[in-house]
Amino acid sequence: MKILIVGGGGREHAIASRIAENPDVEKIWAAPGNGGMASFCELVPLKATDVQVITAFCRDHAVDYVVVAQDDPLCLGMVDALAEIGIPAFGPDRAAARIEGSKIFAKQLMRKYGIPTARCETFDDFEAARRYVRETAPCPIVVKADGLALGKGVLICQTRDEAEEALRQMMLESKFGASGHRVVIEEFLEGLEVSVLAFTDGKTLRPMVSSMDHKRALDGDQGLNTGGMGTVAPNPFYTPEIAERTLREIMLPTVAAMQAEGCPFKGCLYFGLMLTKDGPKVIEYNCRFGDPETQVVLPLLKSDLLTVMKATTEGTLDRCPVEFADEAACCVVLASGGYPLKYTTGYPIHGLEEAAKDARIYHAGTKRAENGELVTAGGRVLGVTCVAPTLREAVAKARAAAEKITFEGRQMRRDIGQRALSAEGQA
Ligand code: AMP
Ligand code: GLY
């Protein structure tokens, strides 16, 4: 089989490396891929969001199966465009991708089908939104841009003034482009966050091992929100009892709701959950694998990834077992200095071979310079993952391996997994 992976982050590297294990795979392209994927994939310098160009590439190169890993091409309808020319692809079609692409769609779905989530109001008129915030909204309050905003369109506001300012920036000043012209204003949920990815073919759902992201830039959950600075799996707060309740109250109802709405979801559905005192609630859905969650979840997958992916596309997931190792994984992200704000790139990366002796290194923002040297090329540069029999060992190994890799301005958190370990201590 000839496969194309659309995207170029650590998530895509983790997906590609597991797909490469399938003996039927003869070739993997990555568009655009990254410096690490280049060692076993052919990189094609195409933009992941260029649906027409990528579709034409697939037709011209007789690609057998496409994995669309990134949210924006999914929301732009890449899977639909490929289906039109008879090429199967992993990921939801455009209608189903709305579960991430429009927060208003997701909130209405949850309201209609009684899926637990934060209470909310939606607005497309600034004055109405402002009045709501001024007169009724409790604080803290969460203001969210309706559309995709690179994970940045969520503002947690401590005061009504802050909330009004957030609305002004989103709705009047287009800080997040058109994404923010419609907004969701929602109740602030308190609790612990859990990420759970699940394969679904639109009817059957197979949850993967749970994980915990570390979204803030700095140790102790300080600093700005990022795409994620590290992950552990499994998430010890997500007990079997909570998992059972989540499956019953959230996951299966979501799959059924999408089916009932005429847009069954096929692919990887990401449940961003808050474990509140009233039970698990949805913070957000994503229509794709999470990053860096994928970098701890897929190393623990025992089943063949491509087989499972094809079963989700073909609607045969009920006959396809999905098994995970009874081990733990930790991923520490190395980022460019200044991320998630301004950063500079092009710095040589050292110590990779030494670190790779004990860890899986997933590349995100890296590339080969003209002299062949591997250099930094993005905000998140590398993910360093270790798998071990216990979480404690995985955390210690990933941290030690990450320390061995250096580049100018390297930024990493040294407390990835600590909160999870404290939970284990209590258990
Ligand atoms: P999102 O982009 O939807 O993942 O939101 C980013 C982060 O904002 C989440 O991971 C949460 O930490 C936080 N967040 C979003 N919505 C809420 C909420 N209703 N209550 C508390 N925190 C939230
Ligand atoms: N790590 C969060 C996400 O992928 O959206």
Side-chain angles (χ1 to χ4, degrees):
M1 282 186 78
K2 293 192 270 181
I3 315 277
L4 171 73
I5 301 193
V6 179
R11 163 183 56 204
E12 286 78 1
H13 191 173
I15 293 171
S17 64
R18 294 306 311 262
I19 285 184
E21 291 171 20
N22 183 303
D24 293 335
V25 172
E26 52 183 279
K27 167 126 198 149
I28 306 179
W29 287 279
N34 59 47
M37 295 171 82
S39 64
F40 64 102
C41 306
E42 184 178 332
L43 304 190
V44 276
L46 304 178
K47 261 176 73 178
T49 47
D50 206 335
V51 174
Q52 279 187 343
V53 172
I54 289 194
T55 310
F57 176 91
C58 293
R59 190 190 49 223
D60 296 346
H61 293 78
V63 172
D64 295 301
Y65 191 65
V66 181
V67 177
V68 187
Q70 216 172 290
D71 48 10
D72 32 10
L74 290 167
C75 293
L76 289 168
M78 188 175 281
V79 171
D80 314 55
L82 288 164
E84 269 172 34
I85 57 166
I87 298 179
F90 182 81
D93 62 12
R94 184 181 190 146
R98 283 180 300 168
I99 200 163
E100 172 170 6
S102 168
K103 293 209 189 318
I104 294 178
F105 172 83
K107 295 303 285 194
Q108 283 171 348
L109 186 85
M110 289 186 271
R111 184 176 292 177
K112 181 166 171 188
Y113 293 91
I115 297 166
T117 186
R119 279 190 303 273
C120 79
E121 300 288 335
T122 62
F123 296 93
D124 55 15
D125 176 62
F126 171 74
E127 270 312 316
R130 196 183 74 92
R131 211 173 316 121
Y132 171 72
V133 159
R134 276 282 152 228
E135 290 166 15
T136 352
C139 280
I141 188 93
V142 185
V143 178
K144 299 187 172 186
D146 175 48
L148 296 179
L150 294 171
K152 293 181 188 140
V154 173
L155 295 170
I156 295 172
C157 306
Q158 299 300 331
T159 64
R160 289 178 168 180
D161 286 342
E162 259 181 66
E164 188 174 329
E165 182 53 27
L167 291 173
R168 188 177 299 281
Q169 289 181 0
M170 279 187 197
M171 302 184 83
L172 298 183
E173 293 161 15
S174 299
K175 189 169 174 195
F176 303 104
S179 292
H181 293 165
R182 300 203 298 164
V183 298
V184 171
I185 303 182
E186 88 179 11
E187 169 198 15
F188 178 78
L189 296 176
E190 272 179 271
L192 286 157
E193 281 185 55
V194 181
S195 307
V196 189
L197 315 179
F199 292 105
T200 169
D201 62 0
K203 307 174 300 248
T204 302
L205 175 124
R206 300 239 188 260
M208 299 182 223
V209 62
S210 63
S211 54
M212 182 192 288
D213 196 1
H214 296 66
K215 286 208 165 103
R216 299 296 200 93
L218 306 175
D219 281 24
D221 289 330
Q222 301 297 309
L224 294 171
N225 249 324
T226 70
M229 292 298 292
T231 37
V232 294
N235 184 326
F237 295 103
Y238 194 68
T239 60
E241 296 72 37
I242 296 176
E244 193 279 323
R245 183 168 175 188
T246 305
L247 185 68
R248 188 163 32 87
E249 293 181 0
I250 293 176
M251 294 179 167
L252 296 176
T254 301
V255 170
M258 291 297 277
Q259 207 175 13
E261 291 296 303
C263 49
F265 188 100
K266 293 181 170 203
C268 174
L269 186 51
Y270 169 125
F271 297 86
L273 305 171
M274 189 73 89
L275 306 183
T276 74
K277 62 176 179 11
D278 304 319
K281 294 189 179 180
V282 176
I283 303 174
E284 61 159 352
Y285 295 113
N286 290 327
C287 66
R288 43 144 184 108
F289 283 95
D291 194 1
E293 285 89 340
T294 307
Q295 299 179 53
V296 286
V297 169
L298 288 188
L300 296 174
L301 178 68
K302 283 205 290 187
S303 314
D304 176 66
L305 178 61
L306 184 60
T307 305
V308 178
M309 285 182 152
K310 287 180 68 195
T312 74
T313 308
E314 289 161 9
T316 53
L317 199 56
D318 57 336
R319 279 166 271 153
C320 182
V322 181
E323 290 179 45
F324 284 85
D326 192 13
E327 290 184 297
C330 175
C331 171
V332 175
V333 169
L334 303 180
S336 295
Y339 173 78
L341 300 175
K342 252 176 78 115
Y343 53 84
T344 44
T345 57
Y347 299 116
I349 301 169
H350 305 288
L352 271 178
E353 273 178 30
E354 193 53 32
K357 287 181 185 157
D358 306 311
R360 294 155 219 239
I361 315 287
Y362 298 120
H363 292 233
T366 73
K367 67 171 189 193
R368 290 264 165 220
E370 271 168 23
N371 63 5
E373 205 172 30
L374 192 75
V375 299
T376 63
R380 288 188 290 181
V381 177
L382 297 161
V384 180
T385 295
C386 288
V387 173
T390 66
L391 188 59
R392 190 167 296 281
E393 288 166 81
V395 166
K397 279 175 68 182
R399 159 97 193 269
E403 293 281 11
K404 292 182 185 156
I405 303 173
T406 55
F407 52 85
E408 176 93 27
R410 181 196 70 176
Q411 177 183 329
M412 66 183 265
R413 277 182 63 165
R414 293 187 166 77
D415 66 345
I416 302 299
Q418 291 310 320
R419 175 177 276 184
L421 286 175
S422 73
E424 282 202 329
Q426 287 158 19

PDB file of all heavy atoms in Angstrom, residues 196 205 207 210 237-253 273 275 280:
ATOM      1  N   VAL A 196      -9.089  11.932  26.135  1.00  0.00           N
ATOM      2  CA  VAL A 196      -9.291  10.552  25.690  1.00  0.00           C
ATOM      3  C   VAL A 196      -9.547  10.573  24.186  1.00  0.00           C
ATOM      4  O   VAL A 196     -10.460  11.240  23.706  1.00  0.00           O
ATOM      5  CB  VAL A 196     -10.470   9.856  26.400  1.00  0.00           C
ATOM      6  CG1 VAL A 196     -10.461   8.369  26.051  1.00  0.00           C
ATOM      7  CG2 VAL A 196     -10.401  10.025  27.900  1.00  0.00           C
ATOM      8  N   LEU A 205     -17.426   2.467  18.812  1.00  0.00           N
ATOM      9  CA  LEU A 205     -16.389   3.348  19.354  1.00  0.00           C
ATOM     10  C   LEU A 205     -15.409   2.530  20.180  1.00  0.00           C
ATOM     11  O   LEU A 205     -15.818   1.700  20.992  1.00  0.00           O
ATOM     12  CB  LEU A 205     -17.040   4.436  20.214  1.00  0.00           C
ATOM     13  CG  LEU A 205     -16.060   5.354  20.949  1.00  0.00           C
ATOM     14  CD1 LEU A 205     -16.319   6.809  20.607  1.00  0.00           C
ATOM     15  CD2 LEU A 205     -16.131   5.165  22.452  1.00  0.00           C
ATOM     16  N   PRO A 207     -12.366   3.367  22.659  1.00  0.00           N
ATOM     17  CA  PRO A 207     -11.515   4.363  23.315  1.00  0.00           C
ATOM     18  C   PRO A 207     -10.067   3.883  23.388  1.00  0.00           C
ATOM     19  O   PRO A 207      -9.820   2.684  23.529  1.00  0.00           O
ATOM     20  CB  PRO A 207     -12.092   4.460  24.730  1.00  0.00           C
ATOM     21  CG  PRO A 207     -13.368   3.711  24.719  1.00  0.00           C
ATOM     22  CD  PRO A 207     -13.320   2.749  23.584  1.00  0.00           C
ATOM     23  N   SER A 210      -6.191   6.593  28.134  1.00  0.00           N
ATOM     24  CA  SER A 210      -6.370   8.013  28.458  1.00  0.00           C
ATOM     25  C   SER A 210      -5.015   8.707  28.601  1.00  0.00           C
ATOM     26  O   SER A 210      -3.981   8.046  28.769  1.00  0.00           O
ATOM     27  CB  SER A 210      -7.135   8.136  29.774  1.00  0.00           C
ATOM     28  OG  SER A 210      -6.362   7.567  30.815  1.00  0.00           O
ATOM     29  N   PHE A 237      -6.015   9.805  37.003  1.00  0.00           N
ATOM     30  CA  PHE A 237      -7.274  10.331  37.535  1.00  0.00           C
ATOM     31  C   PHE A 237      -8.491   9.739  36.823  1.00  0.00           C
ATOM     32  O   PHE A 237      -9.608   9.827  37.298  1.00  0.00           O
ATOM     33  CB  PHE A 237      -7.307  11.860  37.427  1.00  0.00           C
ATOM     34  CG  PHE A 237      -6.264  12.532  38.273  1.00  0.00           C
ATOM     35  CD1 PHE A 237      -5.115  13.048  37.689  1.00  0.00           C
ATOM     36  CD2 PHE A 237      -6.414  12.615  39.645  1.00  0.00           C
ATOM     37  CE1 PHE A 237      -4.139  13.662  38.471  1.00  0.00           C
ATOM     38  CE2 PHE A 237      -5.446  13.224  40.428  1.00  0.00           C
ATOM     39  CZ  PHE A 237      -4.301  13.747  39.846  1.00  0.00           C
ATOM     40  N   TYR A 238      -8.229   9.195  35.642  1.00  0.00           N
ATOM     41  CA  TYR A 238      -9.314   8.619  34.841  1.00  0.00           C
ATOM     42  C   TYR A 238      -9.450   7.150  35.247  1.00  0.00           C
ATOM     43  O   TYR A 238      -8.938   6.252  34.583  1.00  0.00           O
ATOM     44  CB  TYR A 238      -8.972   8.779  33.368  1.00  0.00           C
ATOM     45  CG  TYR A 238     -10.104   8.537  32.398  1.00  0.00           C
ATOM     46  CD1 TYR A 238     -11.193   9.401  32.324  1.00  0.00           C
ATOM     47  CD2 TYR A 238     -10.065   7.462  31.518  1.00  0.00           C
ATOM     48  CE1 TYR A 238     -12.210   9.191  31.406  1.00  0.00           C
ATOM     49  CE2 TYR A 238     -11.074   7.246  30.586  1.00  0.00           C
ATOM     50  CZ  TYR A 238     -12.144   8.115  30.539  1.00  0.00           C
ATOM     51  OH  TYR A 238     -13.143   7.908  29.621  1.00  0.00           O
ATOM     52  N   THR A 239     -10.142   6.927  36.345  1.00  0.00           N
ATOM     53  CA  THR A 239     -10.257   5.583  36.912  1.00  0.00           C
ATOM     54  C   THR A 239     -11.205   4.735  36.056  1.00  0.00           C
ATOM     55  O   THR A 239     -11.980   5.280  35.270  1.00  0.00           O
ATOM     56  CB  THR A 239     -10.851   5.667  38.331  1.00  0.00           C
ATOM     57  OG1 THR A 239     -12.150   6.268  38.205  1.00  0.00           O
ATOM     58  CG2 THR A 239      -9.996   6.504  39.261  1.00  0.00           C
ATOM     59  N   PRO A 240     -11.190   3.428  36.218  1.00  0.00           N
ATOM     60  CA  PRO A 240     -12.123   2.590  35.448  1.00  0.00           C
ATOM     61  C   PRO A 240     -13.579   3.000  35.662  1.00  0.00           C
ATOM     62  O   PRO A 240     -14.376   2.953  34.725  1.00  0.00           O
ATOM     63  CB  PRO A 240     -11.866   1.176  35.996  1.00  0.00           C
ATOM     64  CG  PRO A 240     -10.454   1.216  36.496  1.00  0.00           C
ATOM     65  CD  PRO A 240     -10.240   2.612  37.001  1.00  0.00           C
ATOM     66  N   GLU A 241     -13.932   3.456  36.866  1.00  0.00           N
ATOM     67  CA  GLU A 241     -15.316   3.873  37.122  1.00  0.00           C
ATOM     68  C   GLU A 241     -15.648   5.125  36.311  1.00  0.00           C
ATOM     69  O   GLU A 241     -16.725   5.224  35.703  1.00  0.00           O
ATOM     70  CB  GLU A 241     -15.548   4.181  38.617  1.00  0.00           C
ATOM     71  CG  GLU A 241     -15.393   2.992  39.559  1.00  0.00           C
ATOM     72  CD  GLU A 241     -13.953   2.545  39.741  1.00  0.00           C
ATOM     73  OE1 GLU A 241     -13.046   3.419  39.775  1.00  0.00           O
ATOM     74  OE2 GLU A 241     -13.698   1.323  39.825  1.00  0.00           O
ATOM     75  N   ILE A 242     -14.731   6.080  36.306  1.00  0.00           N
ATOM     76  CA  ILE A 242     -14.982   7.306  35.538  1.00  0.00           C
ATOM     77  C   ILE A 242     -15.001   6.989  34.041  1.00  0.00           C
ATOM     78  O   ILE A 242     -15.815   7.538  33.292  1.00  0.00           O
ATOM     79  CB  ILE A 242     -13.925   8.390  35.872  1.00  0.00           C
ATOM     80  CG1 ILE A 242     -14.051   8.789  37.339  1.00  0.00           C
ATOM     81  CG2 ILE A 242     -14.104   9.610  34.970  1.00  0.00           C
ATOM     82  CD1 ILE A 242     -13.006   9.779  37.809  1.00  0.00           C
ATOM     83  N   ALA A 243     -14.135   6.071  33.634  1.00  0.00           N
ATOM     84  CA  ALA A 243     -14.098   5.699  32.209  1.00  0.00           C
ATOM     85  C   ALA A 243     -15.426   5.085  31.785  1.00  0.00           C
ATOM     86  O   ALA A 243     -15.960   5.401  30.714  1.00  0.00           O
ATOM     87  CB  ALA A 243     -12.951   4.725  31.951  1.00  0.00           C
ATOM     88  N   GLU A 244     -15.974   4.263  32.647  1.00  0.00           N
ATOM     89  CA  GLU A 244     -17.247   3.602  32.329  1.00  0.00           C
ATOM     90  C   GLU A 244     -18.360   4.648  32.230  1.00  0.00           C
ATOM     91  O   GLU A 244     -19.160   4.643  31.299  1.00  0.00           O
ATOM     92  CB  GLU A 244     -17.536   2.557  33.416  1.00  0.00           C
ATOM     93  CG  GLU A 244     -18.652   1.579  33.093  1.00  0.00           C
ATOM     94  CD  GLU A 244     -20.030   2.157  33.349  1.00  0.00           C
ATOM     95  OE1 GLU A 244     -20.191   2.912  34.346  1.00  0.00           O
ATOM     96  OE2 GLU A 244     -20.938   1.877  32.545  1.00  0.00           O
ATOM     97  N   ARG A 245     -18.362   5.584  33.175  1.00  0.00           N
ATOM     98  CA  ARG A 245     -19.382   6.633  33.179  1.00  0.00           C
ATOM     99  C   ARG A 245     -19.243   7.541  31.941  1.00  0.00           C
ATOM    100  O   ARG A 245     -20.237   7.938  31.330  1.00  0.00           O
ATOM    101  CB  ARG A 245     -19.239   7.463  34.469  1.00  0.00           C
ATOM    102  CG  ARG A 245     -20.290   8.517  34.598  1.00  0.00           C
ATOM    103  CD  ARG A 245     -20.302   9.123  35.994  1.00  0.00           C
ATOM    104  NE  ARG A 245     -21.263  10.213  36.022  1.00  0.00           N
ATOM    105  CZ  ARG A 245     -21.409  11.043  37.039  1.00  0.00           C
ATOM    106  NH1 ARG A 245     -20.676  10.899  38.120  1.00  0.00           N
ATOM    107  NH2 ARG A 245     -22.302  12.016  36.979  1.00  0.00           N
ATOM    108  N   THR A 246     -17.999   7.850  31.581  1.00  0.00           N
ATOM    109  CA  THR A 246     -17.751   8.699  30.410  1.00  0.00           C
ATOM    110  C   THR A 246     -18.218   8.007  29.136  1.00  0.00           C
ATOM    111  O   THR A 246     -18.812   8.627  28.254  1.00  0.00           O
ATOM    112  CB  THR A 246     -16.248   9.040  30.313  1.00  0.00           C
ATOM    113  OG1 THR A 246     -15.835   9.633  31.542  1.00  0.00           O
ATOM    114  CG2 THR A 246     -15.965   9.989  29.167  1.00  0.00           C
ATOM    115  N   LEU A 247     -17.946   6.724  29.056  1.00  0.00           N
ATOM    116  CA  LEU A 247     -18.386   5.962  27.876  1.00  0.00           C
ATOM    117  C   LEU A 247     -19.907   6.034  27.752  1.00  0.00           C
ATOM    118  O   LEU A 247     -20.450   6.313  26.678  1.00  0.00           O
ATOM    119  CB  LEU A 247     -17.925   4.500  28.016  1.00  0.00           C
ATOM    120  CG  LEU A 247     -18.208   3.607  26.821  1.00  0.00           C
ATOM    121  CD1 LEU A 247     -17.360   4.024  25.625  1.00  0.00           C
ATOM    122  CD2 LEU A 247     -17.938   2.131  27.148  1.00  0.00           C
ATOM    123  N   ARG A 248     -20.578   5.860  28.865  1.00  0.00           N
ATOM    124  CA  ARG A 248     -22.035   5.788  28.883  1.00  0.00           C
ATOM    125  C   ARG A 248     -22.681   7.168  28.699  1.00  0.00           C
ATOM    126  O   ARG A 248     -23.644   7.314  27.956  1.00  0.00           O
ATOM    127  CB  ARG A 248     -22.451   5.171  30.231  1.00  0.00           C
ATOM    128  CG  ARG A 248     -23.898   4.821  30.395  1.00  0.00           C
ATOM    129  CD  ARG A 248     -24.111   3.848  31.575  1.00  0.00           C
ATOM    130  NE  ARG A 248     -23.186   4.007  32.695  1.00  0.00           N
ATOM    131  CZ  ARG A 248     -23.359   4.849  33.720  1.00  0.00           C
ATOM    132  NH1 ARG A 248     -24.408   5.624  33.782  1.00  0.00           N
ATOM    133  NH2 ARG A 248     -22.470   4.913  34.702  1.00  0.00           N
ATOM    134  N   GLU A 249     -22.146   8.175  29.379  1.00  0.00           N
ATOM    135  CA  GLU A 249     -22.820   9.489  29.375  1.00  0.00           C
ATOM    136  C   GLU A 249     -22.329  10.418  28.270  1.00  0.00           C
ATOM    137  O   GLU A 249     -23.028  11.358  27.900  1.00  0.00           O
ATOM    138  CB  GLU A 249     -22.604  10.190  30.728  1.00  0.00           C
ATOM    139  CG  GLU A 249     -23.294   9.479  31.873  1.00  0.00           C
ATOM    140  CD  GLU A 249     -23.096  10.208  33.205  1.00  0.00           C
ATOM    141  OE1 GLU A 249     -22.433  11.269  33.248  1.00  0.00           O
ATOM    142  OE2 GLU A 249     -23.605   9.698  34.221  1.00  0.00           O
ATOM    143  N   ILE A 250     -21.107  10.169  27.787  1.00  0.00           N
ATOM    144  CA  ILE A 250     -20.530  11.128  26.833  1.00  0.00           C
ATOM    145  C   ILE A 250     -20.164  10.483  25.490  1.00  0.00           C
ATOM    146  O   ILE A 250     -20.595  10.945  24.430  1.00  0.00           O
ATOM    147  CB  ILE A 250     -19.286  11.815  27.456  1.00  0.00           C
ATOM    148  CG1 ILE A 250     -19.713  12.703  28.625  1.00  0.00           C
ATOM    149  CG2 ILE A 250     -18.516  12.602  26.399  1.00  0.00           C
ATOM    150  CD1 ILE A 250     -18.587  13.361  29.393  1.00  0.00           C
ATOM    151  N   MET A 251     -19.387   9.420  25.538  1.00  0.00           N
ATOM    152  CA  MET A 251     -18.809   8.928  24.276  1.00  0.00           C
ATOM    153  C   MET A 251     -19.844   8.275  23.363  1.00  0.00           C
ATOM    154  O   MET A 251     -19.971   8.658  22.192  1.00  0.00           O
ATOM    155  CB  MET A 251     -17.682   7.940  24.565  1.00  0.00           C
ATOM    156  CG  MET A 251     -16.509   8.609  25.247  1.00  0.00           C
ATOM    157  SD  MET A 251     -15.237   7.417  25.573  1.00  0.00           S
ATOM    158  CE  MET A 251     -13.899   8.510  25.966  1.00  0.00           C
ATOM    159  N   LEU A 252     -20.566   7.296  23.889  1.00  0.00           N
ATOM    160  CA  LEU A 252     -21.548   6.619  23.043  1.00  0.00           C
ATOM    161  C   LEU A 252     -22.667   7.587  22.619  1.00  0.00           C
ATOM    162  O   LEU A 252     -23.063   7.587  21.449  1.00  0.00           O
ATOM    163  CB  LEU A 252     -22.098   5.368  23.746  1.00  0.00           C
ATOM    164  CG  LEU A 252     -21.027   4.287  24.005  1.00  0.00           C
ATOM    165  CD1 LEU A 252     -21.606   3.112  24.787  1.00  0.00           C
ATOM    166  CD2 LEU A 252     -20.395   3.811  22.705  1.00  0.00           C
ATOM    167  N   PRO A 253     -23.151   8.455  23.537  1.00  0.00           N
ATOM    168  CA  PRO A 253     -24.151   9.431  23.093  1.00  0.00           C
ATOM    169  C   PRO A 253     -23.633  10.371  21.995  1.00  0.00           C
ATOM    170  O   PRO A 253     -24.396  10.799  21.138  1.00  0.00           O
ATOM    171  CB  PRO A 253     -24.469  10.220  24.378  1.00  0.00           C
ATOM    172  CG  PRO A 253     -24.161   9.273  25.486  1.00  0.00           C
ATOM    173  CD  PRO A 253     -22.989   8.458  25.013  1.00  0.00           C
ATOM    174  N   LEU A 273     -11.900  16.383  28.394  1.00  0.00           N
ATOM    175  CA  LEU A 273     -12.863  16.260  29.490  1.00  0.00           C
ATOM    176  C   LEU A 273     -12.402  17.007  30.725  1.00  0.00           C
ATOM    177  O   LEU A 273     -11.206  17.120  30.986  1.00  0.00           O
ATOM    178  CB  LEU A 273     -13.018  14.784  29.875  1.00  0.00           C
ATOM    179  CG  LEU A 273     -13.402  13.807  28.768  1.00  0.00           C
ATOM    180  CD1 LEU A 273     -13.283  12.380  29.284  1.00  0.00           C
ATOM    181  CD2 LEU A 273     -14.812  14.089  28.273  1.00  0.00           C
ATOM    182  N   LEU A 275     -13.007  16.563  34.773  1.00  0.00           N
ATOM    183  CA  LEU A 275     -13.615  15.710  35.807  1.00  0.00           C
ATOM    184  C   LEU A 275     -14.092  16.637  36.917  1.00  0.00           C
ATOM    185  O   LEU A 275     -13.318  17.052  37.770  1.00  0.00           O
ATOM    186  CB  LEU A 275     -12.593  14.699  36.339  1.00  0.00           C
ATOM    187  CG  LEU A 275     -11.905  13.833  35.272  1.00  0.00           C
ATOM    188  CD1 LEU A 275     -10.960  12.821  35.927  1.00  0.00           C
ATOM    189  CD2 LEU A 275     -12.935  13.131  34.393  1.00  0.00           C
ATOM    190  N   PRO A 280     -17.872  13.699  34.827  1.00  0.00           N
ATOM    191  CA  PRO A 280     -17.100  14.162  33.669  1.00  0.00           C
ATOM    192  C   PRO A 280     -17.944  15.028  32.738  1.00  0.00           C
ATOM    193  O   PRO A 280     -19.124  14.742  32.513  1.00  0.00           O
ATOM    194  CB  PRO A 280     -16.690  12.854  32.974  1.00  0.00           C
ATOM    195  CG  PRO A 280     -17.607  11.807  33.485  1.00  0.00           C
ATOM    196  CD  PRO A 280     -18.084  12.240  34.827  1.00  0.00           C
TER     197      PRO A 280
END
